Amino acid sequence: MSTFRVFDIAGAGMSAQSVRLNTVASNLANAESVSSDPATAYKARHPVFQATLDASGNGGEGASVAVRGIVESQAPAEKRYDPASPLADSNGYVYAPNVNTVEEMVDMISASRSYQNNVEVMNTARNLLLATLKLGQG
Amino acid sequence: MANSIDSFLGVHAQALAVESRRTQLLAANLANSDTPNYKARDVDFRAALAQASSQGAAAGAAGAAGAAGATGRALPMTAASAGNSLPGGAAASAQDPTLLYRVPLAPSLDGNTVDPQLEQAAFAENAVRYQATLTLLNSRLRSLMTAITGQ
């Protein structure tokens, strides 16, 4: 059992949540990137998290977290009538990404809170270890 | 004689190890609070401490029962978990009877059983317990130093 593994776990959690924040930023930035074809329209991206165990086994304790991949949402692109747009197709339609901005904002808050959780875990573990190092001195 | 110092430190040395292990498990639960199909895990403190004590000095066992009595109102936990996503996770639990799965109060659709608030509370409680154990160890070590130096 490694005493410092808690830092690896919390660090992996922070890294995973920051990937999630990145995809939210990407989705929100492209929320209005219209396209002339539904196939080429931007699709909302979401990370898939997976619990992973330490390679050394470690008695199967303290699962870390990893981003297994990023999936694109399969929801249909939003069809908008906008004949003035230079990207409009022959019928005057443009296709907006399938990004739900409300969902993305909620996802952002959730990711941010989870990130803060991991930071707090790391801070607390650090304080406890520092106190342990001073054992017998005070 | 190392054994007499061990028994003088009492159950606290073993308690520190169990609390450190619990810190790691709760950190893993919080890190996986958004992982689909992740099952929250925790140690049965009383059983883990009793196990650590019986592996260590037999003298600590009496103290273990007394200290474990304080953790009577623990969160509900179970030895088995359906649909566990962790490779070897269930096997690890079978090997170690003190490593249990949390019973979710409000199961979620994605199969995740982590309740961040509960885990935060458990983590904070565990941190305070760890510090309390450190304080107790420190005071024992201080009296030991007093006995050694005679001042």
Side-chain angles (χ1 to χ4, degrees), chain A residues 9-10 12-13 16-17 49 63-65 118, chain B residues 26-35:
Chain A
I9 294 169
Q17 297 299 337
F49 291 164
S64 183
V65 62
N118 283 302
Chain B
L26 295 175
N29 287 348
L30 281 167
N32 283 292
S33 59
D34 298 308
T35 307

Side-chain angles (χ1 to χ4, degrees), chain B residues 72-93:
Chain B
R73 33 150 207 87
L75 298 167
M77 289 184 287
T78 175
S81 175
N84 174 45
S85 72
L86 275 179
S93 174

Side-chain angles (χ1 to χ4, degrees), chain B residues 37-103:
Chain B
N37 286 322
Y38 179 82
K39 308 296 177 199
R41 295 195 294 175
D42 200 352
V43 285
D44 180 349
F45 196 86
R46 180 197 294 260
L49 192 58
Q51 193 188 52
S53 302
S54 63
Q55 280 168 359
T71 61
R73 33 150 207 87
L75 298 167
M77 289 184 287
T78 175
S81 175
N84 174 45
S85 72
L86 275 179
S93 174
Q95 282 163 12
D96 187 350
T98 66
L99 186 58
L100 301 176
Y101 290 97
R102 189 94 72 210
V103 175

Side-chain angles (χ1 to χ4, degrees), chain A residues 22-42:
Chain A
N22 278 340
T23 58
V24 168
S26 166
N27 292 344
L28 284 176
N30 285 296
E32 295 301 324
S33 310
V34 293
S35 165
S36 50
D37 181 10
T40 58
Y42 178 85

Side-chain angles (χ1 to χ4, degrees), chain A residues 1-2 5-6 9 13 17 20 49-51 53 59-65 114 117-118 121 124 128 131-132 135-136 138, chain B residues 20-21 24-25 27-28 30-36 38 41 86-87 92 99 120 123 127 130-131 134 137-138 141-142:
Chain A
M1 185 189 69
S2 162
R5 182 147 158 73
V6 60
I9 294 169
Q17 297 299 337
R20 190 168 161 210
F49 291 164
Q50 186 182 32
L53 288 171
E61 279 192 24
S64 183
V65 62
S114 296
N117 254 348
N118 283 302
V121 165
T124 308
L128 290 180
T132 316
L135 186 63
Chain B
S20 158
R21 180 180 167 210
Q24 190 181 318
L25 279 171
L30 281 167
N32 283 292
S33 59
D34 298 308
T35 307
Y38 179 82
R41 295 195 294 175
L86 275 179
L99 186 58
Q120 269 178 332
F123 191 85
Y130 190 95
Q131 271 168 336
L134 274 182
L137 267 179
N138 252 331
L141 288 171
R142 254 203 313 277

